[in-house]
Structure formats: C-alpha cells, structure tokens
Amino acid sequence: MSDAALPPLTIVEIQSRVAAELSRIGSVIDELGARFAEAGEELALVGGPVRDAMIGRLQNDLDFTTSARPDVTERLVAGWADAVWDMGRDFGTIGCRKGPWQVEITTYRSETYDPSSRKPDVDFGDTLEGDLGRRDFSVNSMAVRVPGRDFVDPFGGIVDLAERVLRTPGAPEDSFSDDPLRMMRAARFAAQLGFSVAPEVVEAMTAMAGRIEIISAERVRDELVKLVCAPYPRLGLTLLVETGLATYVLPELPALALERDEHHRHKDVYEHTLTVLEQSIDLEHRLGGGPDFVSRFAALMHDVGKPRTRRFEDGGIVTFHHHDVVGAKITRKRMKALRFSNHDIDAVARLVELHLRFHGYGSGEWTDSAVRRYVRDAGDQLERLHILTRADCTTRNQRKADRLRRTYDSLEERIARLSEEEELAAIRPDLDGNRIMEVLGIGPGREVGQAYAFLLELRMDEGPKSREEAEAALREWWAARS
C-alpha cells in the first residue's frame, strides 16, 4: 500500500457529495433542527460529519452544536429520541439515539488548558462562529445550520479539504497552546485522511512538541491507536518523528533511525520498520476483520531492541544479538507507560519476542517437537505471528524473498498437519492432575506440578501417547527421580 497524499478534490465533487449525504440524513437533521428552532435555539451539524460528507465517508454518528444549554437540549430531545444519555453533561454534551443514528449535541463552547493542567476548562459560548473558531482544524470548522441547511465556513475549510491539507482556524501556536493533543490529532488526521499538513502547522508542532507532556497518557494512547489503525499510518508516524513529537510519545520509533555504519552493512531500521508495518497491513485479511492494532503495533515495535543491542564486530559485521528479547522488554515498558491493557501488552510483547524464532527453521530442519513448541509459545497469537514473520521480509533480493516465503509456507503446512492430527492449539499432557495423583499415589503439592511439566515436555517431544504409555512413562520418571 502507498502512503502518498491523495490527489485534490474539486469543489463540484464536494458539493455533490454533501448534497447526497444531506439527503440521506435529512429526516434526522430536519426534524431535530425544527424542534430547536421552535424553542428559539440554534442547531448546526458540525465537525467530522460535515467533513466526511465532503470526502464521501458515510457514517451514522452525527455531531451537532447548539446555542441551547445542556438542560434545554435534554428537554428538547426527550420524546423524540429512542434513548438519551448525559455522561458528557459537564462538557456541555447530551447524547441520544434515534433509530440507527447516534447523535451528540454540544453547547457552543470554548475550552483552554492552563499551562500546567491535563484537563481543559470548559466555558459555554454564544455564537456558532465562535464555536467553530476554537476547533482544531479548518476542515473540522465547517457547519450546516439546520433545518435551513445553510453552509457555514468562516475559515476556508472547504478549500483546504479540496486541497487535502490540514490548517488551524487561527494561529497554530494558539491552537496547540489551548489543547496540545491537537498536535497528535494532526498526525492522526493525516494518517486517516491521507492529507498533508500545512508548513506553518508543522513548524508550530516542532516548536511546541514538548507541550504534549501535559496531556494524560490515556489520551495520547487513544490518538496513537487511531493513527496506527488508520489507512495511511506512515504519513502520521513520519510526521510524529519529523516534528519531534515521537520523542515524547513513542521515543523508540525515532531511535530506530540508527547512524549508518560506513560500509552500510545493515538496513535502515526505521525505514525497514515502516515497510514491515505496511506489509503486515497487506496481510491483515488473514485475521478476518478490519484494522488490527495488536498486529500493527507489533510490526512497529518488533525491532526496537536493535539500538540497544547493536555491536560492530571484526570485518565490519554488525550484529543485534538478542534484540528480540530486549525489544519485548522495551515494548512492555512503553505500553505500560501509555496505559495499555495487560491483554494488549502481553500480546504485542509476545509477538516481538517471537518474531525471530522462524529463522531457526532453516530449510525445514525443525523436528515435530520444535514445531509444537513454536505453536505453544505463540498461543492465541499464532496467526498474528505468521503475519509479522512474513511481513518482516523486506529484502530486495527476489530470489531470497521467494525462498523465505516458500519456507514459511512449508512451516504453516506442517503446523496445519500436526494441528489436525494432534489439536496443537489445545495442547496439554496426556494425563490430568487427578490421574497423576492416582498413578503416583500422592496428594496435591509441588510434585504434581513437576509431574505435569514432565508430561507436557514429553508431549511436546514425542507427540500424543495412549493413556497406558503416558502412565508408564510417568512411573519411570518418578522412579528415576526418587
């Protein structure tokens, strides 16, 4: 896949798409707009839904802004909506559902950050134009008043959208000072929309990168996940690295841009990593779903142990011994700092630690025992490990690439055969704990665990055994141990 910026749109294309989208959602926006107008309040479709309508991205999540205060909004949607919720009341937002439509209505507002605060101060505003002016980018600062469907674009968002460029409504320094997370959102929108970022915005991000430190790890994490799962992640990641933001939110990524040795005897690890990410995305169809964060983030982190393990040996040879193990530890530490769930941390770290295991396979020298251990160690991440291992081949030597692909095909075929014969995914000893105690005549304790571990290793080495064979092996082990 390519992360090149997409070609410009024409105003005619944009107008046509907006007309079609307003027609599609007309029953909702006209009914809701009429209710607010009858109450003497203003209501406008705003932000992402307007932008997405212009680029042909249909959605059922509709965002509105209004002159009404939250209590008034709640009263006006009561009886119209199928369900209403107010978890965002403190930020001026009332949410509701109407048939298939998810609706959020937020009072005109402005929010700013104290220089040392992680949370915004929220003040309600009085005008639509004022509300639009405090938004992050001009392409998100357009609105459609309802029910009249008047288009409002005080900051030239439609031109920026046609040119596929991200600009701020006012000075980017002011915007990023008010909410530093907008710098991360610039990278995220570039990755999601395939847009370029205006030079003055890049300059402000570079100058103010350190201000991202006042933002909570959870909010940074959420933006990073959206960026990595976007259609064009290379655009966003490159922007994070070039502006210095990555130094604060994901320092392992720019660290991959190692100083090249004079003989150029190792690849550019940073560029290699981005290529592996793209190639893993091309293989995501194997998982049967949409964008897969665990698979993508493992690709992004798989070589983060290289800077710490690089050594120059005699003859100009460059080595990265144990960078898989070191990288897994680095990955755990970074993901914990970003407040990821233990499940995601374990999954990504396991993939990073195992990504080199296949290279011991040679041309098929592994025994069935080694194949079983490969499957056992991968556990429920086996399919993602297949993807990462295949994506990690970025050689330009077509003969070598074909050989690696055929060899991995062979490994997968052996895994499939053994899985069919032995149920590898649920591999366990041939005797359970209760039977172990019966055979050995012992009660619960450490010895049962040791016997279980012995039988599991036996199962790995020699495959499944009959009950009688397993019991005989267990008695022999116990006698030798005694």
Side-chain angles (χ1 to χ4, degrees), residues 6 16-17 55 86 97 172 223 292 311 322 329 391 415:
L6 301 177
S16 175
R17 289 171 175 174
I55 58 177
D86 68 349
R97 176 176 54 81
E223 288 296 325
D292 185 76
R311 300 290 183 272
H322 308 301
K329 293 178 180 178
I415 290 172

Side-chain angles (χ1 to χ4, degrees), residues 126-146:
D126 299 313
T127 67
L128 174 59
E129 288 73 12
D131 181 89
L132 296 177
R134 65 103 193 153
R135 293 178 179 264
D136 49 12
F137 303 104
S138 62
V139 295
N140 294 330
S141 299
M142 300 177 286
V144 177
R145 294 184 185 273
V146 292

Side-chain angles (χ1 to χ4, degrees), residues 174-195:
D174 294 339
S175 181
F176 298 152
S177 180
D178 285 345
D179 184 354
L181 192 65
R182 290 172 175 170
M183 294 186 287
M184 287 288 295
R185 283 205 288 267
R188 189 245 294 183
F189 283 130
Q192 287 181 329
L193 304 173
F195 283 20

Side-chain angles (χ1 to χ4, degrees), residues 163-302:
E163 296 178 351
R164 297 187 185 274
V165 63
L166 290 173
R167 301 184 194 276
T168 52
E173 294 80 5
D174 294 339
S175 181
F176 298 152
S177 180
D178 285 345
D179 184 354
L181 192 65
R182 290 172 175 170
M183 294 186 287
M184 287 288 295
R185 283 205 288 267
R188 189 245 294 183
F189 283 130
Q192 287 181 329
L193 304 173
F195 283 20
S196 62
V197 181
E200 69 274 13
V201 175
V202 174
E203 184 178 343
M205 292 171 66
T206 304
M208 303 178 67
R211 186 148 167 75
I212 197 67
E213 290 187 299
I214 74 165
I215 301 298
S216 69
E218 292 82 358
R219 296 183 73 202
V220 170
R221 174 202 63 208
D222 291 347
E223 288 296 325
L224 187 61
V225 169
K226 292 174 183 176
L227 188 163
V228 170
C229 291
Y232 312 101
R234 181 188 282 261
L235 288 177
L237 294 168
T238 300
L239 184 62
L240 291 183
V241 171
E242 290 179 349
T243 59
L245 273 167
T247 303
Y248 298 94
V249 302
L250 194 64
E252 294 77 14
L253 185 58
L256 292 175
L258 300 173
E259 180 181 349
R260 303 292 296 276
D261 64 291
E262 59 179 337
H263 301 291
H264 293 261
R265 293 182 182 271
H266 69 84
K267 298 176 182 176
D268 183 324
V269 183
Y270 171 69
E271 287 297 328
H272 164 75
T273 294
L274 296 180
T275 300
V276 172
L277 170 60
E278 291 176 325
Q279 294 186 167
S280 71
I281 293 172
D282 290 339
L283 294 171
E284 273 182 345
H285 61 86
R286 295 179 55 139
L287 299 174
D292 185 76
F293 173 76
V294 169
S295 178
R296 294 187 183 199
F297 203 62
L300 196 60
M301 302 294 284
H302 79 284

